[in-house]
């Protein structure tokens, strides 16, 4: 069986760094596998946490040698990343180990989600494996050498945030649109607003840094005075689990839930959540639930501050816990809870603002960015009609269409049947793996002239798929018809994205009419399997 594109993901989890990096890489690995990639996780067993998280994974795992018992990494020195000790060994050794583990079957991409490694590690692995490198980051606290940079946190200007950090110009994947959530969140039931808080959820991260969950529970019950049902979520990787279990048992109407594969249902079933500001922030946003968030790590402060200003959550702090510089600016948790519990209108606004930021397709978008070279075309069939109709009637597509009016499905069916029967029209669907991502149509104007029309799944725009779709469409038709072709395109006035697309594919003309001559091919067109 033909193997798909091979993509490695270098990531760790531990009591020190938590489980968030590993969980978001698992979400990306699942999205990659859905699109036909051969995804492999490259991890080092720093402590028991990573094995607890991965014990039921279906993804391939390459285990690097364990760190030495006394291997705390390099001594602090100028030029090392602030979190270099998380790797528990020098970066050179980790890069060598990673290359050695993958050299027999080198990946086309190395995805690295690790604050301990900087541009030196990125360049060493790029050279050692002859691959491209995608860096997942949100700290901007060290030199980076990324072909693709992913930072799914919100920032007013990501280029300014990473100014001085980048050793090369990357492809930028930034903002909550690229939040790496489990595929379950794409279709998970969303929270349905209720005017009163019937129950409350607490999740402070998979490893519960500093045992903060029990202190949050105490604040909710004894300082804020909330007496309703509470569900606390955690994992078996929590080193403070014994104390947390005892705290839950001591509180009436409080239950402890462990090791849920995803927390979508947990977030949807409670009317208010208190949580840490890590990756779960985007999960709560996707579900659209009102939430109060606390900073429990340095990299969370900027993102929570921004989301608080946008009204997508309420930021708070625990009065007896030392946090980052941002935390003192937030009011005490008990005070925020009392306000939010009493203000149904505010809770509704928080949930609506949160839901507008994240749609659950971030991992799919990132996977497509890495795999767009695997895009293939196939002839459309009648079974594609519902999906093509959904895309065509999306406001973003209608806005740039020659006919911007919505089309009834019955009329669409008549049209697609007529196109599929025609000898001078070709309707093609683009796929990456099993995922349909767009459509291109060619209509014959004369013996050697075709008119092209194309659109993407509106949720997948901005990933470079349009250029791949157009170029492959040209190649498909040239191979099918076997002669030199003149391809013509009409663009609606003001459609700058389409104008840029045609210019990037070497079409001449503009601003509303473009033409390109395509050389002849006499081979069978390449199609999706």
């Amino acid at each position: 069986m033909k193997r798909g594109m091979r993509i490695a993901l270098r990531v760790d989890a531990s009591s020190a760094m938590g489980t968030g990096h590993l969980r978001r890489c698992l979400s990306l690995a699942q999205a990659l596998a859905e699109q036909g990639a051969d995804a492999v996780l490259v991890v080092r067993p720093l402590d028991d946490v990573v094995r607890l998280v991965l014990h039921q994974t279906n993804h391939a795992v390459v285990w690097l040698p364990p760190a030495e018992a006394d291997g705390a990494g390099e001594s602090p020195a100028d030029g090392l990343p602030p979190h270099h000790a998380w790797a528990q060994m020098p970066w050179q050794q980790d890069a060598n180990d990673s290359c050695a583990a993958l050299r027999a079957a080198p990946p086309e991409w190395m995805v690295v989600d690790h604050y301990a490694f900087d541009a030196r590690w990125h360049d060493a692995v790029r050279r050692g494996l002859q691959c491209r490198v995608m860096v997942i980051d949100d700290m901007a606290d060290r030199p980076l050498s990324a072909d693709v940079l992913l930072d799914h946190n919100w920032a007013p200007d990501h280029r300014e945030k990473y100014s001085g950090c980048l050793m090369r110009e990357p492809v930028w994947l930034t903002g909550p649109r690229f939040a790496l959530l489990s595929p379950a969140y794409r279709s998970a039931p969303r929270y349905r607003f209720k005017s009163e808080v019937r129950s409350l959820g607490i999740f402070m991260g998979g490893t519960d840094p500093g045992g903060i969950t029990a202190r949050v529970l105490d604040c909710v019950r004894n300082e804020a005075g909330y007496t309703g049902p509470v569900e606390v979520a955690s994992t078996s990787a929590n080193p403070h689990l014994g104390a947390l279990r005892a705290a839950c048992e001591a509180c009436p109407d409080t239950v402890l839930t462990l090791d849920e594969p995803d927390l979508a249902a947990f977030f949807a079933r409670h009317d208010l959540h208190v949580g840490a500001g890590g990756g779960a922030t985007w999960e709560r946003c996707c579900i659209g639930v009102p939430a109060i968030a606390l900073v429990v790590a340095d990299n969370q402060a900027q993102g929570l501050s921004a989301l608080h200003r946008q009204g997508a959550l309420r930021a708070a702090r625990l009065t007896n816990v030392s946090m980052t510089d941002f935390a003192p600016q937030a009011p005490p948790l008990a005070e925020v809870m009392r306000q939010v519990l009493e203000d149904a209108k505010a809770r509704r606004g928080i949930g609506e603002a949160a839901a507008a930021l994240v749609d659950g397709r971030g991992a799919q978008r990132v996977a497509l960015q890495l795999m767009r070279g695997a895009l293939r075309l196939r002839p459309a069939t009648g079974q594609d009609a519902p999906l093509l109709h959904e895309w065509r009637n999306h406001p973003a597509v209608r806005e740039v269409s020659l006919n911007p009016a919505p089309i009834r499905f019955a009329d669409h069916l008549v049209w697609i049947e007529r196109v599929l029967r025609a000898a001078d029209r070709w309707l093609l669907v683009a796929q990456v793996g099993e995922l349909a991502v767009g459509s291109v149509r060619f209509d014959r104007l004369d013996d050697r002239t075709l008119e092209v029309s194309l659109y993407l799944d509106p949720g997948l725009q901005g990933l470079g798929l349009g250029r791949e779709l157009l170029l492959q469409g040209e190649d498909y038709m040239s191979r099918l018809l076997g002669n030199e072709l003149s391809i013509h395109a009409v663009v609606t006035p003001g459609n700058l994205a389409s104008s840029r697309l045609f210019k990037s594919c070497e079409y001449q003309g503009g601003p509303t009419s473009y033409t390109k001559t395509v050389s002849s091919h006499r081979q069978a067109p390449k199609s999706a399997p």
Side-chain angles (χ1 to χ4, degrees), residues 22 39 95 127 149 196-197 289 311 336 421 455 500:
L22 180 55
R127 289 192 305 268
L149 175 64
E196 59 182 290
V197 176
V289 64
V336 175
R421 288 196 306 267
Y455 53 84
R500 287 193 297 266

Side-chain angles (χ1 to χ4, degrees), residues 10 44 73-74 79-81 84 87-98 116-125 127:
R10 176 69 185 96
R44 193 183 299 279
E74 299 156 294
L80 290 176
H84 68 92
Q88 298 185 19
M89 64 174 50
W91 69 265
Q92 298 97 323
Q93 183 62 52
D94 193 278
N96 291 340
D97 288 348
S98 299
F117 305 138
D118 62 12
R120 293 169 294 185
W121 189 99
H122 307 150
D123 287 336
V125 170
R127 289 192 305 268

Side-chain angles (χ1 to χ4, degrees), residues 426 442 444 446-451 473-488 507 515-521:
W426 296 267
F442 292 91
R444 190 191 291 277
D446 58 42
D447 286 347
R448 292 179 177 251
T449 305
L450 303 176
E451 184 173 73
E474 297 169 5
D475 186 66
Y476 187 101
M477 294 308 300
S478 178
R479 293 176 185 276
L480 181 69
L481 300 179
N483 59 332
E484 185 175 87
L485 298 172
S486 176
I487 300 181
H488 180 66
Y507 280 69
T515 302
K516 179 180 180 180
T517 300
V518 177
S519 300
S520 62
H521 293 280

Side-chain angles (χ1 to χ4, degrees), residues 209-524:
I212 195 173
T213 305
R215 282 175 278 183
V216 169
L217 178 60
D218 178 70
C219 180
V220 165
R221 290 301 198 192
N222 298 321
E223 295 182 45
Y226 178 73
T227 59
V230 172
E231 182 179 8
V232 177
S234 190
T235 74
S236 298
N238 181 352
H240 313 284
L241 187 55
L244 178 58
R245 196 186 300 273
C248 291
E249 290 172 353
C251 286
D253 212 2
T254 301
V255 297
L256 176 62
T257 297
L258 294 177
D259 299 327
E260 288 291 301
D262 69 71
L263 293 175
F266 165 74
F267 292 134
R269 64 178 166 255
H270 300 296
D271 300 301
L272 181 63
H273 280 267
V274 179
T281 298
W282 306 118
E283 296 175 349
R284 290 187 288 263
C285 284
C286 184
I287 298 302
V289 64
I292 301 169
L294 291 82
V295 174
V296 299
D298 291 344
N299 65 316
Q300 298 171 2
Q302 184 182 47
L304 286 193
S305 177
L307 294 175
H308 176 87
R309 291 194 301 271
Q310 294 179 64
L313 55 76
R314 289 289 176 87
R317 61 182 171 89
L318 283 177
T319 55
N320 60 343
V321 177
S322 176
M323 292 296 174
T324 65
D325 290 341
F326 165 68
Q329 301 175 28
L333 173 60
E335 176 185 324
V336 175
M337 270 205 65
R338 287 191 290 266
Q339 293 173 353
V340 173
L341 286 169
E342 295 170 1
D343 192 340
K345 182 178 179 181
R347 289 199 311 278
R348 182 192 289 272
I350 293 169
E352 291 175 349
L357 292 174
V358 183
D359 64 2
R361 300 185 71 183
Q364 190 178 71
R365 292 186 182 99
V366 176
L368 284 169
Q369 172 64 48
L370 299 182
M371 297 187 64
R372 61 185 181 180
L375 182 147
R376 292 294 180 265
L377 300 178
R378 62 166 175 81
T381 71
Q383 293 181 337
D384 295 310
L387 184 60
L388 296 179
H389 180 257
E390 177 186 339
W391 292 346
R392 169 56 183 79
N393 268 5
H394 190 279
V397 175
R398 288 195 289 109
E399 183 181 0
V400 295
S401 297
L402 296 177
N403 174 16
I407 297 173
R408 295 188 313 129
F409 185 61
D411 295 335
H412 177 73
L413 280 178
V414 172
W415 174 84
I416 199 168
E417 289 173 4
R418 185 167 64 245
V419 170
L420 295 180
R421 288 196 306 267
D424 57 355
R425 307 180 82 180
W426 296 267
L427 181 62
L428 308 170
V429 172
Q431 289 189 186
V432 178
E434 296 300 313
L435 179 68
V437 300
S439 171
V440 60
R441 188 183 81 247
F442 292 91
D443 297 335
R444 190 191 291 277
L445 300 181
D446 58 42
D447 286 347
R448 292 179 177 251
T449 305
L450 303 176
E451 184 173 73
V452 63
S453 175
L454 72 160
Y455 53 84
L456 294 169
D457 176 340
L460 302 177
Q461 295 174 349
L463 304 177
L465 294 170
R467 188 172 189 277
E468 195 71 29
L469 172 58
L470 179 56
L471 292 175
Q472 287 209 28
E474 297 169 5
D475 186 66
Y476 187 101
M477 294 308 300
S478 178
R479 293 176 185 276
L480 181 69
L481 300 179
N483 59 332
E484 185 175 87
L485 298 172
S486 176
I487 300 181
H488 180 66
V490 177
V491 175
T492 55
N495 185 354
L496 300 181
S498 288
S499 293
R500 287 193 297 266
L501 169 64
F502 287 112
K503 288 178 181 177
S504 74
C505 293
E506 300 182 348
Y507 280 69
Q508 304 298 314
T512 60
S513 179
Y514 293 89
T515 302
K516 179 180 180 180
T517 300
V518 177
S519 300
S520 62
H521 293 280
R522 296 188 179 275
Q523 303 174 20

